[in-house]
Amino acid sequence: MNMNSRALPRLGAAALAWLSCVGAHAADGSFTTLTYNVAGLPQVLSSAAGDRAAATRLISCYVKNFDIVNVQEDFNYHAELYDSCDNHPYRSPTSGGAAVGSGLNTLSRYRYDDWDRVSWSHCNGVDCLTPKGFTLARTRLAEGVYVDVYNLHTQAQTASADLTARRADIQQLLAYIEAESAGNAVVVMGDTNTRYTRDGDNMWEFLRHGFTDAWVKNVRNGSVPAVGAAAMVCEPAVTSPNCEIVDKIVYRNGAHVTLNATGYNVQVDAKDAGGVELSDHRPVAVNWSYTLASDRRLSDTFGGPHGTSFDDASLLPASPAVRQLKIRAGARVDRVETVLANGYPFGHGGGGGNEQVLTLGNGEVLTRASMCTDSYNGHTRLFSISFSTNWNRGLSGGTPTATCTTYTAPAGWAIVGFHGRSGDGVDKLGMVYAPALPNNGAAVTPMRFVNKQSGLCMDVDRANAADGSNVLQWTCNGGQNQQWSYDATTGLVRSMLDPHYCLDNSGSYDSGANIMLRTCNGNSNQRYTFDTATGRLAVRNNPVQVVDGVAATGNVITYQDWNGANQRWAMRP
């Protein structure tokens, strides 16, 4: 096919000037994104103007100007989108046309290491005729630099049942993000069908989970439109503080990667030679800069796409130093774990295999890790692993194979944790590095949280350290189930009954959310800010919600702060 015979869309002067800003910012890196509902329903069903096949061929040329592109409604003209002009080297496979696929695809200049496509659990009416949902592309911007890019297309229309389904869509996506992108930098962009001003929508839930809206930040100077305010409708869409559109871009920083949306633009030049819009949605572009934490580095990851994602970079205290390395292995690698000098553990995988422990001497650090993979039950898993230290000691286990790699800490740095994927074994693994430090520091001093109204201690019910164990108030008795460690850097509150477990708001940011234990993973549900002066223990990303001791039941919940004595805690040895 002769691509030169295709008519290219014309980028206007404003768009070209906007694009030329990319890379002009003093940062560790930059990239551009575009989200575009391409109106790919069959011609007879489409509400967009013009011949859809011809328009999609022009869209194919338009999107090639951006680094990462999320498209929605990529149904029946997928070949025109991918084969006409676009040259992104990494593109998601189609899930099918209308009534078969979700219409969601990602085109990228950067490779993505993990890919997932998820259908909504709730829908209404005609939206149930095709499996809409969301996708995740864990995108590698550079060595050890990852951003989780989500695409979505939620329930359309505004009837009561539509709003109920759309709210459920948003909650389903956020729950997935907290499980699969805990501690990672995240960009969510797509057709949300939501408005901040609409009473029945819940787009503001993203903000309570620590996200920033690129339009709100760059165009409205941080002012979020009020729920119930007059709708800011605009047709056609333009870049304006008074023009809210349903195609949205929100983002959240990670422990290693800080994102900055440095420009936001509703593109007005996606038209054919006759001036006809290429879709019934205008594309939305954002240019980004990112900076990396000065005291953390990550290697790439090695292994398969199964299990659940984890990233210790988001869990580590300010100055981590490893005291112990533990591995469990038999025929394969079942578990890896570091334990810091302060006692905090960072373990991933299952309980199979045989455990080996290496206790490091003062001044000894982990410097090197070699691992091999193979297939087990159709999944790529780690089959062997070997660690070595600067004292030429080491620990190894598993079964070596022919597919192997090695990661070495930079000079003056040490392996302190991991990132990757795991389940009952280790599926994928990369190293988290920090500056090498002495590991002879003292363990953390356990503390009690004593409620200022009741005089009772925060307590793990029945001393059961497990996912879902309830947290309540109980008579102070000095038991380990009443001992905690608060880390101001991460906001995690660990149970010293078993410091693998942290306080968790059960995924709810409303008043009445039950506080329980969950395995520490660094997601937004587990991050708090404790004010020693006032005794206020607030949800870090939604600080109007504080940890509250319910007088009538003795339970511990979160509730909107009203300055009650039951919402204040003393932290005591």
Side-chain angles (χ1 to χ4, degrees), residues 117-150:
R117 189 185 295 274
V118 181
S119 297
W120 300 125
S121 298
H122 298 81
C123 63
N124 183 59
V126 296
D127 272 40
C128 297
L129 297 178
T130 199
K132 293 168 68 174
F134 63 90
T135 63
L136 161 65
R138 177 155 294 132
T139 305
R140 179 189 181 275
L141 300 179
E143 182 179 358
V145 181
Y146 295 89
V147 175
D148 289 356
V149 178
Y150 286 85

Side-chain angles (χ1 to χ4, degrees), residues 325 327 329 333 354 356 358 370 384-388 394-398:
L325 170 69
I327 65 172
V333 179
N354 299 310
Q356 301 179 64
L358 175 66
S370 299
S384 72
I385 195 160
S386 175
F387 291 93
S388 56
L395 209 58
S396 62

Side-chain angles (χ1 to χ4, degrees), residues 294-419:
S294 61
D295 59 351
R296 297 288 183 272
R297 296 184 190 177
L298 273 64
S299 73
D300 283 340
T301 53
F302 183 68
H306 306 286
T308 299
S309 173
F310 62 85
D311 185 355
D312 289 344
S314 66
L315 303 171
L316 291 164
S319 302
V322 174
R323 176 74 54 79
Q324 281 188 329
L325 170 69
K326 301 179 180 181
I327 65 172
R328 299 189 71 93
R332 295 167 298 281
V333 179
D334 294 277
R335 185 175 178 86
V336 293
E337 179 166 311
T338 56
V339 181
L340 302 187
N342 70 358
Y344 289 174
F346 302 89
H348 310 283
N354 299 310
E355 184 175 76
Q356 301 179 64
V357 179
L358 175 66
T359 299
L360 304 184
N362 185 31
E364 186 178 17
V365 297
L366 299 171
T367 57
R368 184 181 175 93
S370 299
M371 62 198 84
C372 300
T373 61
D374 209 332
S375 179
Y376 175 70
N377 288 340
H379 291 180
T380 300
R381 299 273 290 267
L382 259 64
F383 268 58
S384 72
I385 195 160
S386 175
F387 291 93
S388 56
T389 76
N390 60 331
W391 289 7
N392 294 318
R393 299 199 303 154
L395 209 58
S396 62
T399 307
T401 71
T403 306
C404 305
T405 196
T406 297
Y407 295 128
T408 302
W413 293 62
I415 297 168
V416 294
F418 310 104
H419 65 124

Side-chain angles (χ1 to χ4, degrees), residues 60-415:
S60 176
C61 298
Y62 192 91
V63 300
K64 68 185 289 187
N65 296 289
F66 300 87
D67 293 327
I68 303 170
V69 179
N70 278 354
V71 293
Q72 304 85 45
E73 292 193 11
D74 177 21
F75 289 122
N76 286 47
Y77 307 98
H78 178 76
E80 281 81 0
L81 179 67
Y82 273 23
D83 298 339
S84 298
C85 186
D86 179 69
N87 60 0
H88 287 92
Y90 305 100
R91 305 187 296 192
S92 58
T94 181
S95 57
V100 177
S102 69
L104 301 175
N105 280 305
T106 296
L107 305 85
S108 179
R109 300 270 173 230
Y110 305 97
R111 81 166 195 244
Y112 43 88
D113 284 7
D114 294 330
W115 169 262
D116 199 12
R117 189 185 295 274
V118 181
S119 297
W120 300 125
S121 298
H122 298 81
C123 63
N124 183 59
V126 296
D127 272 40
C128 297
L129 297 178
T130 199
K132 293 168 68 174
F134 63 90
T135 63
L136 161 65
R138 177 155 294 132
T139 305
R140 179 189 181 275
L141 300 179
E143 182 179 358
V145 181
Y146 295 89
V147 175
D148 289 356
V149 178
Y150 286 85
N151 193 3
L152 78 161
H153 194 185
T154 69
Q155 172 77 36
Q157 310 304 323
T158 57
S160 177
D162 299 318
L163 293 171
T164 298
R166 185 155 63 244
R167 290 194 299 271
D169 293 347
I170 296 296
Q171 292 286 17
Q172 180 183 346
L173 173 56
L174 283 167
Y176 182 98
I177 289 172
E178 297 300 358
E180 286 290 341
S181 296
N184 295 351
V186 177
V187 173
V188 180
M189 54 179 181
D191 184 350
T192 72
N193 279 311
T194 66
R195 294 184 183 276
Y196 288 109
T197 56
R198 186 181 290 135
D199 278 317
D201 277 333
N202 61 343
M203 189 64 195
W204 40 263
E205 283 283 4
F206 278 97
L207 310 184
R208 300 206 298 185
H209 283 251
F211 283 83
T212 298
D213 185 300
W215 169 66
V216 170
K217 171 187 177 289
N218 286 277
V219 183
R220 289 184 55 84
N221 295 317
S223 175
V224 181
V227 176
M232 293 180 285
V233 179
C234 44
E235 187 59 44
V238 293
T239 305
S240 166
N242 300 312
C243 177
E244 182 184 5
I245 61 176
V246 299
D247 305 285
K248 298 189 187 308
I249 299 97
V250 296
Y251 64 99
R252 188 169 78 184
N253 296 326
H256 181 229
V257 179
T258 297
L259 296 170
N260 185 21
T262 56
Y264 171 97
N265 197 53
V266 178
Q267 304 288 90
V268 300
D269 55 356
K271 302 175 181 179
D272 66 15
V276 177
E277 302 273 354
L278 299 182
S279 174
D280 54 359
H281 289 240
R282 283 183 164 174
V284 182
V286 171
N287 62 312
W288 305 85
S289 65
Y290 66 86
T291 55
L292 305 180
S294 61
D295 59 351
R296 297 288 183 272
R297 296 184 190 177
L298 273 64
S299 73
D300 283 340
T301 53
F302 183 68
H306 306 286
T308 299
S309 173
F310 62 85
D311 185 355
D312 289 344
S314 66
L315 303 171
L316 291 164
S319 302
V322 174
R323 176 74 54 79
Q324 281 188 329
L325 170 69
K326 301 179 180 181
I327 65 172
R328 299 189 71 93
R332 295 167 298 281
V333 179
D334 294 277
R335 185 175 178 86
V336 293
E337 179 166 311
T338 56
V339 181
L340 302 187
N342 70 358
Y344 289 174
F346 302 89
H348 310 283
N354 299 310
E355 184 175 76
Q356 301 179 64
V357 179
L358 175 66
T359 299
L360 304 184
N362 185 31
E364 186 178 17
V365 297
L366 299 171
T367 57
R368 184 181 175 93
S370 299
M371 62 198 84
C372 300
T373 61
D374 209 332
S375 179
Y376 175 70
N377 288 340
H379 291 180
T380 300
R381 299 273 290 267
L382 259 64
F383 268 58
S384 72
I385 195 160
S386 175
F387 291 93
S388 56
T389 76
N390 60 331
W391 289 7
N392 294 318
R393 299 199 303 154
L395 209 58
S396 62
T399 307
T401 71
T403 306
C404 305
T405 196
T406 297
Y407 295 128
T408 302
W413 293 62
I415 297 168

